Amino acid sequence: MPIFYNPEIKIFTLQTQNTTYQMKVGDYGYLLHLYYGAKIGENDDLSLLAYPLERSFSGNPNEAGYDRSFTIDTLPQEYSMFGSGDFRSSCLIPVNPDGTREADLRYVSHEIESGAAAPQGLPHVYDNGGEAETLKIHLQDPVSHLAVTLVYTVFAARDAITRYAVIENKTTGRVELEKALSACLDFTHGDYDVITFWGRHCFERAVERTPVRHGKIVADSLRGASSHQQNPFMILCDHDATETAGDCWGMSLLYSGNFIAECEYDQIWQTRLTMGIHPHAFRWVLEQGESFTTPEVAMIYSGEGLGELSRRYHKLYRHNLCRGQYKTSRRPVLINNWEATYFDFDDDKLVKIAEDASKLGIELLVMDDGWFGKREGDTSGLGDWFVNTQKLRGGLDSLCRRINALGMKLGIWFEPEMISEDSDLYRAHPEWCLRGPGRAGVRSRYQFVLDMSREDVRQYLFDVISGVLSSANLEYVKWDMNRHISNIYSGALPAEKQGEVYHRYILGVYDLMERLTSAFPHVLFEGCSGGGGRFDAGMLYYTPQIWCSDDTDAIERLSIQYGTSFSYPISAVGSHVSAVPNHQTGRVTPLATRGIVAMSGTFGYELDINKMTAEEKEIVKEQVARFKEIYSLVSDGDYYRLTDPFKNTNYTAWQFTAPDQSRALLNVVQVKMEVCPVNFLIRLRGLNPGARYCVQAAPLNATQRFEHEGTVYTGAALMNAGLLIPLLKGDYAAVQYEIIQL
Ligand code: DGJ
């Protein structure tokens, strides 16, 4: 039983294998947060961590009379609320029927249930059976009667706790929510750094670490998508936390739209993290009896540094968030025609690519943008999901049969949420765009956004996409989204509900994804948004892999994939070998290096294989065979970041270790060749210290010989003394070592 309640001291203790979360029903019924960190006993009473003390300019509840010691302005709160004395960041701002902007939530009751809770219509971490227990704490404002239920699910073996809130209008009239966040996490002590993940198109999830300072540090998106620019994930850690040591707390939002993640450092050096839907341009109307459910946050603590924090997220998301047959079965090695042909392709060209690819062991051809409507470039066609028979002369089924005859699967690209002005759909339904009355609308990549909050729009998309998927043996879908949302307005909603449109849009996307993934369970869905613009835990619930970035340069990918790995499993990272000179950077990297980098992901190719030399094709064949062989190590193994590409610009190294420690894979890319180089001494991690391991270079490196061939070391030697990587020749050279227990 991971959830304990001690009625005498009114303390809730949530236990996972290595962590404890504690809260208390304090004076006057306020729910106070006490502790989140390394494991303590369920009978430990940490009430003193929330010791009341008089604070000037901090108010006191009226019931306290003239006792000035109790103030929710400085005591740690479980779900901070506006208007009743806490001047720090609030989770909840309601406008009550009488116009007051105030919530004063007090404990009413609680219940404990087995299994995981599921926020309605939203992605969530789930229980595979007997893994989870849920606590629901009911709070209510005694004056307005607005009710809030805080829902916590404990995944003990995964060291994870998820939480969300349900706000129910039990008042006498209409309530409008101006802010309804998912979670608040207060720390009464500590000296911390905050880590956020920022970026831009082709440069996603760069790691930014900064000391917490008085005031607020915010990561957010107002783009209608979780975005390339900031990711809905935040880490708080000790100043001196490293990959292998120190306290770290992660908060990951399972949501793909506007979000805010905020770290506030208050007047008495206390830290508050809050996370949820961004309150800007948000206003949710709750009629009497209606309720609003926030997205879920997954919280993980690690006392063993950032590496362990990431590994815990990887396991949670691999086993309890990703779904479908490809959660466990091996994903096909694919070849995508985008960088090979862009819009300039036809069925014969695709078959020719597939002919060469199939001989090298590649299993899936993905037909990217351009197969439908009038789509010769990116100015037209979106919305018209009908086969362009000038390109696919025999139709989709015929193409599919030709690809299947080569022993390959066929996949297809959609951008369901978008519409081109030059499309039959736009001509028939201009009112289906998000756009205010009388406004022409902002174009981005020449396109507008469909109003996904509308049921009729979703029904059209479901019918037309289902029609395509049923018309041929299609086994993969790439779901793209290539612009952000402006002109937010839905023609289907009254003026007073326009503050709901951003969130209703995301609920609509989730609804359509749920319907399509359920209707086509054999299809592998890959998420995408101009690369990794919607790489978030919400999307992972529907698509077990997401295209990580439109930047396919192997050297640039080192830092993009590094940042992505902090919260998302390697099995989710869409990564391909592309041509050189690289289309985005012009950089020329060896094929072996491109292979090694792409293998730390879902693995595939994105180039014109027909243009490769016989020698290159041999290398591709070797890489494909190699990836299939190491697949389980990459997708289920423990991932270790051995260097930080933002700091070490000479080389980047990372490792996978099998859960039973019998095998590991060490990858090293030399980013910069120097005449008189620094030593590349790499200490491995996660091995069995007493076991003996044989070290050998993987066959991928046929062109270079490496020392350590067949040398035997103990795990202790490899982890403490380390491996000295021999000099690699040339910029961007790479090596992959296999470490096998004898
Ligand atoms: C953006 C994606 O990230 C690319 O891979 C490609 O699918 C293009 N869109 C097609 O328009």
Side-chain angles (χ1 to χ4, degrees):
M1 293 285 282
I3 299 174
F4 302 85
Y5 178 64
N6 183 332
E8 269 148 42
I9 47 176
K10 297 188 184 159
I11 281 192
F12 296 96
T13 305
L14 281 44
Q15 296 285 39
T16 74
Q17 203 166 293
N18 299 290
T19 74
T20 300
Y21 188 100
Q22 200 175 75
M23 50 201 151
K24 176 188 175 76
V25 181
D27 290 352
Y28 318 111
Y30 288 107
L31 189 63
L32 305 179
H33 177 76
L34 294 183
Y35 175 75
Y36 186 29
K39 193 157 188 170
I40 59 166
E42 41 268 14
N43 293 317
D44 284 326
D45 172 1
L46 298 183
S47 302
L48 277 179
L49 291 181
Y51 184 70
L53 205 63
E54 183 179 330
R55 302 277 176 195
S56 43
F57 286 88
S58 293
N60 318 107
N62 199 273
E63 306 98 295
Y66 285 175
D67 173 6
R68 289 182 52 174
S69 64
F70 187 97
T71 173
I72 62 166
D73 189 30
T74 54
L75 287 169
Q77 302 296 305
E78 205 41 48
Y79 192 68
S80 54
M81 53 221 174
F82 181 81
S84 51
D86 184 353
F87 294 110
R88 296 169 291 173
S89 275
S90 50
C91 288
L92 183 64
I93 309 182
V95 182
N96 298 311
D98 57 9
T100 51
R101 264 183 188 73
E102 181 171 343
D104 191 11
L105 300 170
R106 314 292 179 102
Y107 171 83
V108 176
S109 63
H110 72 271
E111 65 219 70
I112 297 172
E113 299 165 358
S114 60
Q120 217 192 345
L122 286 160
H124 54 272
V125 177
Y126 59 84
D127 179 358
N128 290 293
E131 294 175 310
E133 200 173 66
T134 293
L135 167 66
K136 293 182 178 165
I137 305 181
H138 304 289
L139 310 171
Q140 194 162 15
D141 184 325
V143 176
S144 71
H145 302 297
L146 186 73
V148 173
T149 300
L150 301 181
V151 185
Y152 302 80
T153 298
V154 181
F155 294 84
R158 301 252 174 258
D159 281 319
I161 298 172
T162 60
R163 57 179 291 193
Y164 61 90
V166 181
I167 300 146
E168 194 182 344
N169 183 359
K170 293 187 175 173
T171 73
T172 51
R174 170 186 281 191
V175 169
E176 293 184 8
L177 302 177
E178 289 186 336
K179 190 176 186 185
L181 297 192
S182 301
C184 167
L185 190 54
D186 272 354
F187 297 80
T188 50
H189 306 86
D191 201 8
Y192 300 119
D193 283 354
V194 66
I195 303 177
T196 55
F197 300 84
W198 71 283
R200 55 181 177 266
H201 180 223
C202 290
F203 183 72
E204 293 92 339
R205 288 167 297 285
V207 181
E208 190 151 48
R209 181 169 176 167
T210 169
V212 167
R213 54 163 177 77
H214 288 97
K216 292 168 185 165
I217 296 170
V218 172
D220 66 350
S221 168
L222 281 167
R223 295 170 168 270
S226 51
S227 88
H228 309 81
Q229 285 74 8
Q230 291 285 348
N231 197 262
F233 180 56
M234 187 175 254
I235 298 174
L236 188 77
C237 63
D238 286 343
H239 270 324
D240 48 7
T242 63
E243 278 293 318
T244 53
D247 288 331
C248 337
W249 294 262
M251 283 178 91
S252 167
L253 185 66
L254 281 72
Y255 193 61
S256 311
N258 288 352
F259 74 92
I260 186 162
E262 193 178 273
C263 173
E264 180 178 17
Y265 197 42
D266 77 4
Q267 53 177 334
I268 54 167
W269 299 9
Q270 302 187 116
T271 306
R272 166 170 290 179
L273 300 182
T274 46
M275 187 174 250
I277 294 177
H278 207 303
H280 283 191
F282 171 86
R283 197 177 173 97
W284 196 274
V285 177
L286 279 184
E287 301 296 349
Q288 257 187 313
E290 287 182 347
S291 52
F292 178 80
T293 302
T294 73
E296 188 167 271
V297 166
M299 304 184 297
I300 292 186
Y301 161 80
S302 152
E304 295 122 74
L306 297 161
E308 183 56 23
L309 184 79
S310 298
R311 287 186 289 279
R312 288 181 184 170
Y313 271 110
H314 293 180
K315 285 177 196 153
L316 182 73
Y317 286 169
R318 273 196 323 245
H319 299 288
N320 301 82
L321 179 63
C322 292
R323 300 178 298 166
Q325 78 172 65
Y326 286 103
K327 170 181 166 179
T328 46
S329 61
R330 184 173 68 72
R331 320 261 173 85
V333 175
L334 66 81
I335 185 157
N336 178 306
N337 74 307
W338 179 242
E339 287 195 21
T341 66
Y342 295 103
F343 293 105
D344 180 20
F345 66 87
D346 60 18
D347 41 10
D348 290 342
K349 216 178 207 178
L350 294 175
V351 170
K352 218 158 164 274
I353 290 174
E355 274 165 3
D356 275 0
S358 65
K359 289 182 201 138
L360 308 179
I362 296 173
E363 299 157 305
L364 163 70
L365 174 79
V366 176
M367 176 172 61
D368 212 281
D369 192 355
W371 59 268
F372 53 91
K374 189 182 130 209
R375 186 74 169 168
E376 300 308 329
D378 46 13
T379 56
S380 60
L382 293 174
D384 295 345
W385 302 109
F386 306 101
V387 174
N388 178 330
T389 46
Q390 272 154 15
K391 286 185 175 180
L392 309 186
R393 284 165 295 236
L396 202 49
D397 185 47
S398 143
L399 172 67
C400 206
R401 286 175 194 279
R402 291 170 73 189
I403 302 295
N404 289 167
L406 295 167
M408 286 181 74
K409 300 174 194 296
L410 182 64
I412 195 163
W413 179 96
F414 286 98
E415 194 176 357
E417 300 153 64
M418 298 294 152
I419 183 164
S420 305
E421 283 162 282
D422 185 2
S423 69
D424 291 344
L425 185 66
Y426 185 81
R427 284 181 279 274
H429 288 291
E431 79 284 7
W432 280 6
C433 297
L434 286 173
R435 192 169 55 181
R439 298 195 187 270
V442 169
R443 292 189 191 99
S444 182
R445 206 198 183 194
Y446 317 107
Q447 62 203 47
F448 290 145
V449 186
L450 282 173
D451 181 355
M452 297 297 289
S453 74
R454 291 177 71 129
E455 170 56 30
D456 50 359
V457 169
R458 297 201 300 275
Q459 190 58 47
Y460 165 79
L461 290 171
F462 180 78
D463 291 342
V464 78
I465 294 172
S466 301
V468 172
L469 295 183
S470 310
S471 72
N473 183 26
L474 293 160
E475 296 176 81
Y476 165 105
V477 165
K478 180 174 174 185
W479 183 304
D480 208 345
M481 192 253 191
N482 282 305
R483 65 159 286 179
H484 289 145
I485 302 175
S486 52
N487 308 102
I488 189 77
Y489 180 91
S490 169
L493 289 171
E496 72 269 20
K497 280 183 160 281
Q498 293 301 325
E500 302 180 6
V501 181
Y502 270 126
H503 182 52
R504 285 190 183 276
Y505 177 94
I506 293 295
L507 292 176
V509 172
Y510 289 154
D511 172 62
L512 182 61
M513 285 188 144
E514 184 67 33
R515 288 171 70 187
L516 284 167
T517 51
S518 310
F520 298 93
H522 64 288
V523 172
L524 170 60
F525 282 77
E526 174 156 357
C528 177
S529 175
R534 224 168 35 181
F535 205 122
D536 57 62
M539 279 295 149
L540 279 184
Y541 185 67
Y542 307 94
T543 65
Q545 61 191 57
I546 302 175
W547 181 226
C548 186
S549 179
D550 272 350
D551 186 342
T552 59
D553 178 304
I555 300 305
E556 301 254 300
R557 275 294 186 118
L558 293 174
S559 45
I560 297 172
Q561 294 180 190
Y562 168 86
T564 305
S565 78
F566 275 78
S567 51
Y568 307 111
I570 309 308
S571 58
V573 175
S575 195
H576 301 164
V577 173
S578 60
V580 290
N582 180 270
H583 289 196
Q584 291 85 13
T585 61
R587 186 180 278 123
V588 176
T589 50
L591 185 50
T593 304
R594 282 175 273 152
I596 286 171
V597 174
M599 275 182 212
S600 290
T602 56
F603 196 61
Y605 291 81
E606 182 143 347
L607 42 69
D608 190 347
I609 208 154
N610 301 137
K611 291 192 181 133
M612 289 186 119
T613 64
E615 195 189 343
E616 285 173 327
K617 284 181 181 160
E618 259 325 290
I619 297 176
V620 169
K621 194 171 176 182
E622 214 171 55
Q623 288 178 342
V624 173
R626 173 81 183 145
F627 181 71
K628 290 176 185 170
E629 210 264 307
I630 60 171
Y631 182 82
S632 61
L633 200 49
V634 171
S635 66
D636 298 328
D638 290 338
Y639 181 75
Y640 294 86
R641 294 178 290 265
L642 302 179
T643 64
D644 175 349
F646 292 96
K647 291 196 181 122
N648 181 342
T649 48
N650 282 344
Y651 65 95
T652 300
W654 66 100
Q655 178 193 336
F656 296 95
T657 305
D660 66 359
Q661 300 176 307
S662 62
R663 193 177 177 198
L665 207 63
L666 167 65
N667 301 281
V668 187
V669 174
Q670 173 169 270
V671 176
K672 192 171 78 188
M673 172 74 189
E674 289 177 324
V675 179
C676 187
V678 295
N679 282 339
F680 291 11
L681 181 79
I682 293 171
R683 289 166 156 191
L684 274 71
R685 296 191 191 139
L687 301 175
N688 176 351
R692 294 168 69 238
Y693 293 91
C694 173
V695 177
Q696 58 197 37
L700 295 166
N701 315 293
T703 49
Q704 291 193 41
R705 296 299 304 159
F706 293 98
E707 287 150 39
H708 302 299
E709 288 290 346
T711 316
V712 174
Y713 300 93
T714 61
L718 289 167
M719 291 191 291
N720 296 312
L723 263 189
L724 187 64
I725 305 300
L727 185 65
L728 305 177
K729 276 275 163 59
D731 277 350
Y732 319 132
V735 57
Q736 186 175 77
Y737 283 108
E738 175 121 36
I739 293 118
I740 301 171
Q741 188 180 346
L742 294 176

